[in-house]
Amino acid sequence: MEANYFAKRVGQALLTFFATVTLTFVLYQMMPGGPAQALRNQILAQQMGSSNTINPEQIEQLIANYTNLESDAPIYVQYVQYMSSVFLEGDLGESLYEDAAVTELLAERLPWSMLISVYAMVIGYSVSIVLGAVMAFKEKSRFDSVSSVVVIGLNSTPYYVAGILFIFFFSIRYKVFPTGGRVGLGIEAGFNLAFMQSIALHAALPILSMSVLGLGTALTMRGNSVRVLGEDYLRVAELRGLRNSRIATQYVGRNAILPMYTQFMIGIAGVLSSSVIVEEIFSYPGVGLLVYDAIQVRNYPVLMGSLIVFTLVTIVAILIADLTYGFIDPRISSGGTNE
Amino acid sequence: MSNERPDDDLETLFDADIDREPTPRSQRLKRQFDLYVVAPARVAMTDWRAIVGTAIITIFFLMGTVGVWLVDRPTSGDAPVLAPPFQNLNYILGTDTFGQPIGAQLIHATPDMFRMVFAGAVVSIGFAALVGIVSGFLRGSKIDTILMSITDIIITIPGLPLVIVLIAIFRPESPYVIGVLLGLDNWPGLARTVRSQVLSIREESYVEASQIMGISTGTILRRDVLAQLMPYITVNSALASRRIIFESVGLYFLGILPFTTFNWGVMMNVAYEGGALSRPSMYHFLAFPLLTIFLMSFGLVLFSQGMDSVFNVRLRARHSSTIDDDGGPEP
């Protein structure tokens, strides 16, 4: 039964990935005039600099190289070809402007984006869970009302506004942190202290401004905890004379965090998405900035490739969430099908 | 929201046995009005967040309706370039680098904002509630599997990049279309959360009781589950609006959406690209749009919080009572 569940989830993840790649194919086809028309303009614009003229067959060839689409073949042939090159060859096409495969470009950028996203999520969520729980325990106290207002205030600040303010105060006014980039100039890469420090300094502001995204969770956590605090079993626990710390972690914490568990994992998608805007503001060269640059010149293969890779990361995260959810909430896994 | 109180239902259940005059229609209406309009309004009035939130949203609403009519549409060269704020009554918030009054631009950006938010919130909340409730209640069935597979597929496609690709391809200009695009990426996450809420609610004893009593699934969904989820849905529609504002302004700010209308994000973009961060004479050009976005979402979040306490049955039991009781709100 366990193995069955596991296989089912993995199968679902694969299906999801398959659907996403199909979606990018559909998106190519949905471009006004189809991929051929849309890309032809881009390719012509790109070839403007070099004086040599290119003939239609060459353009066909280039489109096939860049996107894995043979735009003159019937649509099902195109689809099979596109899917097989993604799945069998791991080929996401080629960038229109740099002479590089999309996978290469992404592989180089992804670790940097993951670095700031993961830290932003961990910081944002752990701060807000603790804060939310404390607020609920002290419901209607001065602490609760003051921190509610603060959290609501922070929650009303878009992360890019937070980013702009951080740059303004920390980089331009007080020059504590650099305004952009991911490492300082002239610092030797490798496992040395200066390099690590430089990475941390450059990542600090993007991480801070993205972690603002997670702060809304504090209010959800507060609401859930208040709800749990009203339950009968909690009164029973108190009457049993259990220690407050045990009540807080095992009774309230567990039942309050549970409904948010999937939300956390989905949060990865949100945080990764936000990297497009944050990385542009901090000119932090991760996947987000790659996407941003690709939009400016309508570098479609890079856009589609990033979409696929962003999705892949999220699929893995959600798969983990699904597989572990049953362990955390026994009610879900024991429930089975009772209709 | 269910529109009958459970007591009435029990009464009708036993009406056959007990010889009793049925409640007159007018009284029933009055009672419902008390329960669903007067009592929530009273609770709302005791909650400062609901008051402030409603006030802020009302101000923005007035900005978007009356304000647009009162204040002329700004054009370049209306006023001196980069006039500082609070100096001249005609352009009280100062002017931008083209000599357009900033206050008027902020006002004229509001209607499109509302259109976007409306379209987006309706799409995302409607989808999320429908999918989440149905699939949570039919957990394990084929319908659940299909719905959740679709949700999973859409959820895993990171919203912003997808929206960006769609915008890059279609270059939408209508605020409704932009709102729907942003709302589309919004619903799956909410649907999943609604589903997991439904799963918890379903374990509650009263839902089981309803099932044992043989009440149809539809009625249980409507009465027990939806009523429990109401606070959740209301709170989230305000939050979804906030998210749509964030994303649309963000995309305008990055210059990804075409600059066809006045928008707070467009103003931020022009100011930011103009180096407003290091030019004190331009501070106000960047600061006021930022402040406006902050205020609007602050209002929405406060409103959602206030509504939470209005709809939340437990909080309500603790804080207030319907008009039938003589006791006012307890401290």
Side-chain angles (χ1 to χ4, degrees), chain A residues 263-303:
Chain A
Q263 200 185 325
F264 291 153
M265 289 297 168
I266 294 156
I268 294 176
V271 172
L272 263 181
S273 298
S274 70
S275 68
V276 181
I277 297 182
V278 169
E279 286 177 7
E280 208 280 314
I281 294 176
F282 289 98
S283 39
Y284 190 88
V287 182
L289 200 61
L290 189 70
V291 171
Y292 178 79
D293 293 338
I295 305 162
Q296 303 303 313
V297 291
R298 297 188 189 270
N299 196 342
Y300 290 113
V302 173
L303 279 181

Side-chain angles (χ1 to χ4, degrees), chain B residues 30-106:
Chain B
K30 187 164 169 264
R31 205 188 282 167
Q32 284 189 9
F33 181 74
D34 282 349
L35 190 64
Y36 291 109
V37 181
V38 179
R42 275 174 119 196
V43 183
M45 288 310 288
T46 64
D47 191 301
W48 70 272
R49 292 170 301 188
I51 298 174
V52 177
T54 315
I56 293 177
I57 295 173
T58 313
I59 290 171
F60 273 102
F61 187 72
L62 290 178
M63 256 171 78
T65 49
V66 187
V68 178
W69 180 64
L70 283 179
V71 180
D72 290 335
R73 205 174 167 79
T75 44
S76 303
D78 269 359
V81 168
L82 282 179
F86 310 121
Q87 302 282 326
N88 188 317
L89 274 181
N90 287 331
Y91 32 93
I92 199 158
L93 296 183
T95 57
D96 68 4
T97 35
F98 306 108
Q100 304 184 74
I102 288 173
Q105 286 188 65
L106 290 175

Side-chain angles (χ1 to χ4, degrees), chain A residues 128 151 155 211-221 263, chain B residues 239 242:
Chain A
S128 50
V151 171
N155 203 13
S211 62
V212 171
L213 267 177
L215 278 182
T217 329
L219 295 174
T220 321
M221 178 67 190
Q263 200 185 325
Chain B
L239 294 182
R242 186 203 56 152

Side-chain angles (χ1 to χ4, degrees), chain A residues 12 16 30 139-140 152-153 155-156 158 160-161 168 266 273 280 292 295 298 310-311 318 332 336 338-339, chain B residues 139 149 153 155-156 158 161 164 168 170-171 202 242 246 249-250 254 277 283 290 294 297-298 301 318-319:
Chain A
Q12 205 167 17
T16 309
M30 268 161 55
E139 202 200 348
K140 305 265 172 257
I152 293 173
N155 203 13
S156 316
Y160 47 86
V161 170
F168 180 65
I266 294 156
S273 298
E280 208 280 314
Y292 178 79
I295 305 162
R298 297 188 189 270
F310 272 133
T311 312
I318 288 182
I332 304 295
N338 35 8
E339 260 81 35
Chain B
R139 191 173 80 88
S149 304
I153 289 170
I155 215 172
T156 35
I164 287 174
F170 298 110
R171 311 192 191 198
R202 230 180 58 146
R242 186 203 56 152
F246 278 16
V249 172
L254 284 190
L277 279 186
Y283 282 171
L290 290 188
F294 173 78
S297 53
F298 191 60
V301 176
R318 212 186 300 163
H319 294 302

Side-chain angles (χ1 to χ4, degrees), chain B residues 99-115:
Chain B
Q100 304 184 74
I102 288 173
Q105 286 188 65
L106 290 175
I107 288 174
H108 278 271
T110 322
D112 275 352
M113 215 66 203
F114 272 109
R115 283 182 199 121

